[in-house]
Amino acid sequence: MKRIDRPTFGPGGNSEAFYAAGKKATAQAPEWIRSIGLDAYEFEAGRGINAGEAVLKKIGEQAAEHGVLMSLHAPYFISLSSVEEEKRTKSIDYISRSLWASELLGADTIVIHTGSAATITREEAMRLAADTLERNLEVNGDTDIRMGLETMGKVNQLGTLEEVITLCKISPKYHPVVDFGHLNARHIGSHFPDRDSYRRVFDEIAVGLGDEYAYNLHCHFSKIEFTAKGEKKHLTFADTVYGPDFEPLAEAIIKEGVCPRIICESDGTMSDDALAMKQMWLAAGGKI
């Protein structure tokens, strides 16, 4: 992946504002995103990759033309830690198809959910997930696309930062994807009270995997409602109850000297809130 020496911001999928602007097709997203001051876009394939080759290629061409960095969220039904062998084998197939789509999109990163530990111990879930990731390398180990393992928001899911770092140690092909809203939700809203709490995320990744993994870290950010079980639903930046707040993260990014890509997953206001994050980073002293 090419090193990017500034933080970048963009939406996960098409926002309400995109459609309100009269846009209809995702192939129009890169030009529109660039026109409002954003520079990244995550293609949402959580419910499967339903777009054909021609459509994906067109989106990729538009992203390249307008200088928009692309990533892809792989299907939600990937289950790295399933106790059913067939589901884990199919998960590798879904990763393969995600990589195929990403090549067409010009995406440099795919985002993969790490699995569940609802009916088994976390130790067993980690063992199964590690086995799936090892087997995945036999099929997809030649890719230059970052295979990102995401921190998760529910307590019974794999996906603490420590677990993600451990799984990423299997191969340099695997990279952490930090969803700050998820981590906040699984810690019942207490995880990011200040700048230093955000800085620790980058520091832990740098120590565990290397500085280069922290420098252009792929991130998700949104405010998320939670219960005692963790994540309940994504909110917008208009929420004043659940958090987390972005301003301390903007300060942490500047203090750490890192350049993450931050994809906003707000509920419908992804582009508006991504732009708000960029403006907060600039207000904190960030420079383009």
Side-chain angles (χ1 to χ4, degrees):
M1 174 183 160
K2 181 181 177 182
R3 178 182 168 103
I4 307 295
D5 289 322
R6 59 182 173 82
T8 50
F9 301 85
N14 298 328
S15 65
E16 294 167 0
F18 173 79
Y19 294 109
K23 309 302 180 182
K24 296 180 180 180
T26 298
Q28 297 172 293
E31 181 179 10
W32 182 78
I33 285 166
R34 199 66 179 179
S35 75
I36 64 171
L38 299 173
D39 39 28
Y41 181 85
E42 189 155 288
F43 185 88
E44 295 298 317
R47 292 176 175 81
I49 298 166
N50 302 312
E53 182 172 343
V55 171
L56 294 168
K57 185 177 180 182
K58 179 66 173 176
I59 297 168
E61 289 170 348
Q62 287 294 302
E65 179 178 341
H66 296 286
V68 172
L69 300 172
M70 293 291 293
S71 55
L72 177 145
H73 199 304
Y76 300 138
F77 32 82
I78 288 175
S79 182
L80 301 180
S81 62
S82 175
V83 295
E84 298 179 36
E85 181 75 15
E86 182 180 1
K87 285 187 178 180
R88 295 198 291 128
T89 299
K90 284 185 177 179
S91 293
I92 296 172
D93 293 339
Y94 296 139
I95 293 172
S96 297
R97 185 160 172 78
S98 297
L99 292 169
W100 165 82
S102 293
E103 290 281 358
L104 294 166
L105 290 167
D108 57 22
T109 303
I110 66 171
V111 178
I112 303 167
H113 284 184
T114 38
S116 174
T119 60
I120 54 178
T121 65
R122 301 196 80 81
E123 292 75 17
E124 178 66 4
M126 285 289 286
R127 186 191 69 78
L128 289 169
D131 178 71
T132 307
L133 292 172
E134 291 278 10
R135 290 168 51 203
N136 177 60
L137 292 173
E138 298 172 8
V139 178
N140 295 309
D142 290 337
T143 185
D144 291 326
I145 295 169
R146 295 193 297 184
M147 291 184 279
L149 307 180
E150 185 178 7
T151 60
M152 299 304 295
K154 291 185 172 66
V155 174
N156 66 3
Q157 292 172 317
L158 283 187
T160 66
L161 181 59
E162 180 182 6
E163 288 166 344
V164 165
I165 290 172
T166 296
L167 291 172
C168 285
K169 289 179 180 179
I170 290 171
S171 168
K173 300 288 183 179
Y174 297 121
H175 287 246
V177 171
V178 173
D179 188 312
F180 291 100
H182 280 170
L183 290 179
N184 189 63
R186 77 180 298 140
H187 287 87
I188 321 301
S190 62
H191 206 51
F192 295 114
D194 52 27
R195 180 185 69 185
D196 288 343
S197 59
Y198 282 111
R199 291 183 67 189
R200 282 193 288 272
V201 170
F202 296 98
D203 291 345
E204 286 182 39
I205 291 170
V207 170
L209 296 170
D211 289 342
E212 67 275 18
Y213 288 83
Y215 186 72
N216 280 153
L217 182 67
H218 193 84
C219 305
H220 287 171
F221 196 97
S222 58
K223 296 189 175 188
I224 295 178
E225 182 180 351
F226 54 82
T227 68
K229 296 179 180 180
E231 176 188 7
K232 182 178 180 182
K233 68 177 182 179
H234 287 232
L235 305 169
T236 74
F237 275 22
D239 172 73
T240 58
V241 176
Y242 288 95
D245 292 325
F246 182 77
E247 289 92 336
L249 176 54
E251 295 172 5
I253 289 168
I254 293 169
K255 189 71 174 179
E256 288 289 301
V258 292
C259 298
R261 185 183 311 174
I262 303 182
I263 298 296
C264 185
E265 292 189 320
S266 292
D267 182 17
T269 59
M270 304 84 78
S271 58
D272 308 76
D273 293 349
L275 193 56
M277 287 191 287
K278 181 177 180 179
Q279 291 164 346
M280 289 179 213
W281 169 71
L282 288 169
K287 294 179 173 59
I288 297 176

